Every structure is written in structure tokens, then in C-alpha cells.
Amino acid sequence: MGLRHLLGVALAFTLVTTGPAPAQASAPVTPPGAPLSVGTQYLSATTVDLSWMSAATGTNPIAVYEVYARRPGWTYPDRLVTTTTNAWVFVPIGGLRPATTYEMYVRARDTSGLTGPASAPVTITTLPSEIVPGPPVTTQVTATTATISWRPPAVAIDRIAGYDLIVPPATPTQPIQIRASTGPSTTSVQLTGLRPGTTYTFIVVVRYTDGTPRSAPSARGTVTTVPSVPPSPPSDLTVTTLTPTSVTLSWTASTPGDFPISRYFTYVNGGALGISNPGPDLRTITFAVYPGNTYEVYVRAVDQAGIYSAPSETVTFTAPSQ
């Protein structure tokens, strides 16, 4: 056997035994878990509020939750009714048919597009439209007031005990807030004490007299109050007296916006401590300090509608050492 042949065999053997290593298997991608504890509130003729607890995160963060509805016994595909990034809040689901049974479930989808398993379904049956009042409608809106009215249900008035105008809870642990209650023949109320430039959500619940298992709620309605002009910032904030243990500051009054000034708030070191003056005519304040410490202070005005001014200029001072 010649030398050239031996070298060829050796080279072939080396190529076989030192070839590329086999590729390592990539780690499996885990989808999100199933959302838990799906629950409902305020089922009406065409809407329901749905809530669930967050799903466990898989390999990638959760991007959205998808809510599906299906009608038992139907062969149509399950319908995607909404997507949301929220969990453990009540999500309004609309577009339902009156007096119809649905099964609803939720799935989490991660940032890569991978969808996790469905939650346990929750079964609902929407109410007959004739027993449900119309959604709240708003008229005569100002910065702090609004008139809310609604259409009564199509039932005899002797079945109706009255109505409640409710701010629906945003989460399963938030209490119900009843803003107004009326008798059976009153389908309009005027709300006062609202905040300017604020959106409110309401439903109307009719209370029945004939033993109906639950009151019938309307669909949601919203109102946004008129924005108001805030007070101007207080000016000329000045340290008038400074000792190792106390400081007194004074300032020039704010100019009112749409509402009279109610009081002033003094904020110390970034607002960690808010000190309220008892009234609009007192524009000086004294509070305790510690020797050698440095303080940053600013003041804001608040009007009778609860609207705050922008902060005054910030004053910085250091309490003298004892």
C-alpha cells in the first residue's frame, strides 16, 4: 500500500470522527396558563360584566386576554367578543342577544402569539328585554352636575318598587356605590358634587315588588363633566421665620379659576407630607423641622370643586444647627 493511499485513509478517518457536533435541542416554549375564577356581575338583556384572575405566565409575557362566547348546542365557531390587557377587573361584554344562554371563557395570549388553555366556562342567560330599563342618558351637564334619565322597563308600574343609579364596581373587591335612588314613577335624577372634567359610568337597576330573584340592570352609560379652569399657582413663597426646630412660610394668594379657593396644601420634600390650611384666607404655615436637615417646600391651591392648581415655585432651606 503506497504512502499516498495511507494518507488518504487517515484524512477520511479524521473527517468522519471530528465532524460537527450534533445540534442541541432548544428548550421547550411554555404557553400561558389558564385564567382562573371567571365570574360575572350585572347581567342585563344585552351585556354582562366579566372578571377573572390572571393566568400564570409561560416562557413569554402575557400580551392580552381573549374572551370567547358560544351558544350551547350551536355548531357555529366560538366567537371572540373582546380582547383586553386587564385581569381581576370587570370587563363589559356587549352585543349579546336578550333571553339567550351563552357559555363564556377566557384565554391568555403571550407576546409571541402563543395561546394558553381556556378557563373553565361560565354560563349566563341574558334577561328578557322587556324587564330591563334603558341605559342612563345624560343631559344638562355642567362641571359639577348632570341630569341622568332612563327608559323604564316594559312592565306594569305596579311591579316596580323603584330604581337605583349605581356606579358599578371596577373589581370584584370594590364595593357598590349607589348614587341615587328613586320611586317607581321617577326615571330621572340630578347628580351634584361631581368633579369637573371627569368621566363617570352608571347603570340603572330596577327593584321589583313581585319576588323577581334579582333586579334587572340596564346596560352602561357614561357622562363626562365639563372641564373647569383651575386656580393659578400660589406665588411669592417665602421663608419668613426659621429656627433649628421650626419654620414659617407665607405666600401670595392664588387667583381663582371657575370656582372659589377652598384651601391651600403645603408639600414638604416632594409631597411626602401634605399639610392643609383650614381655609382660603390663611396663607402662612408653621411646621416642625430638624436641625441641620434640608427641606424642599411648595404650595398648591384647591378650589371648591376639588381642582388643584399647579405647584408654586419650590423653596429650599436648611434648618440651622443647634
Side-chain angles (χ1 to χ4, degrees), residues 31-142:
L36 304 173
S37 302
V38 179
T40 65
Q41 73 164 2
Y42 294 125
L43 177 68
S44 77
T46 58
T47 65
V48 67
D49 291 356
L50 200 66
S51 179
W52 57 89
M53 292 183 66
S54 301
T57 303
T59 303
N60 298 300
I62 293 174
V64 295
Y65 291 94
E66 301 174 339
V67 181
Y68 291 85
R70 60 180 176 234
R71 294 173 65 176
W74 283 50
T75 58
Y76 294 104
D78 297 354
R79 179 165 64 98
L80 177 65
V81 293
T82 194
T83 60
T84 177
T85 58
N86 293 320
W88 201 236
V89 301
F90 282 111
V91 177
I93 308 298
L96 307 178
R97 296 175 61 87
T100 302
T101 297
Y102 294 90
E103 290 182 346
M104 292 188 170
Y105 61 89
V106 185
R107 303 178 73 174
R109 176 160 50 85
D110 68 18
T111 53
S112 72
L114 189 62
T115 303
S119 69
V122 60
T123 301
I124 64 166
T125 300
T126 53
L127 302 179
S129 58
E130 64 270 14
I131 71 168
V132 175
V137 177
T138 308
T139 58
Q140 302 176 6
V141 182
T142 71

Side-chain angles (χ1 to χ4, degrees), residues 168-190:
T171 73
T173 56
Q174 184 178 347
I176 295 172
Q177 183 183 3
I178 299 177
R179 291 301 302 259
S181 294
T182 74
S185 58
T186 302
T187 58
S188 179
V189 296
Q190 185 181 45

Side-chain angles (χ1 to χ4, degrees), residues 1-311:
M1 181 180 297
L3 178 59
R4 180 177 296 179
H5 182 74
L6 290 174
L7 289 174
V9 172
L11 178 60
F13 179 78
T14 301
L15 290 174
V16 170
T17 57
T18 62
Q24 296 293 324
S26 59
V29 177
T30 304
L36 304 173
S37 302
V38 179
T40 65
Q41 73 164 2
Y42 294 125
L43 177 68
S44 77
T46 58
T47 65
V48 67
D49 291 356
L50 200 66
S51 179
W52 57 89
M53 292 183 66
S54 301
T57 303
T59 303
N60 298 300
I62 293 174
V64 295
Y65 291 94
E66 301 174 339
V67 181
Y68 291 85
R70 60 180 176 234
R71 294 173 65 176
W74 283 50
T75 58
Y76 294 104
D78 297 354
R79 179 165 64 98
L80 177 65
V81 293
T82 194
T83 60
T84 177
T85 58
N86 293 320
W88 201 236
V89 301
F90 282 111
V91 177
I93 308 298
L96 307 178
R97 296 175 61 87
T100 302
T101 297
Y102 294 90
E103 290 182 346
M104 292 188 170
Y105 61 89
V106 185
R107 303 178 73 174
R109 176 160 50 85
D110 68 18
T111 53
S112 72
L114 189 62
T115 303
S119 69
V122 60
T123 301
I124 64 166
T125 300
T126 53
L127 302 179
S129 58
E130 64 270 14
I131 71 168
V132 175
V137 177
T138 308
T139 58
Q140 302 176 6
V141 182
T142 71
T144 58
T145 66
T147 299
I148 311 292
S149 59
W150 56 91
R151 173 183 50 79
V155 299
I157 193 171
D158 59 0
R159 290 186 56 192
I160 299 173
Y163 301 92
D164 292 329
L165 184 68
I166 291 175
V167 177
T171 73
T173 56
Q174 184 178 347
I176 295 172
Q177 183 183 3
I178 299 177
R179 291 301 302 259
S181 294
T182 74
S185 58
T186 302
T187 58
S188 179
V189 296
Q190 185 181 45
L191 300 180
T192 60
L194 305 178
R195 288 181 58 85
T198 302
T199 298
Y200 295 87
T201 298
F202 299 106
I203 61 170
V204 177
V205 172
V206 55
R207 307 187 307 272
Y208 286 110
T209 61
D210 57 1
T212 301
R214 56 189 175 191
S215 299
S218 70
R220 296 184 179 214
T222 60
V223 56
T224 300
T225 52
V226 177
S228 70
V229 176
S232 69
S235 59
D236 302 323
L237 181 62
T238 305
V239 176
T240 56
T241 305
L242 179 59
T243 74
T245 58
S246 69
V247 64
T248 300
L249 297 98
S250 62
W251 56 89
T252 300
S254 297
T255 300
D258 288 344
F259 297 92
I261 303 296
S262 173
R263 62 186 60 203
Y264 294 91
F265 283 84
T266 304
Y267 296 86
V268 182
N269 289 342
L273 174 64
I275 305 169
S276 170
N277 277 1
D281 297 328
L282 184 59
R283 296 187 296 277
T284 182
I285 195 164
T286 300
F287 58 91
V289 295
Y290 291 94
N293 284 12
T294 298
Y295 297 86
E296 294 182 345
V297 182
Y298 63 86
V299 181
R300 298 177 72 181
V302 61
D303 65 22
Q304 292 179 359
I307 302 301
Y308 283 79
S309 73

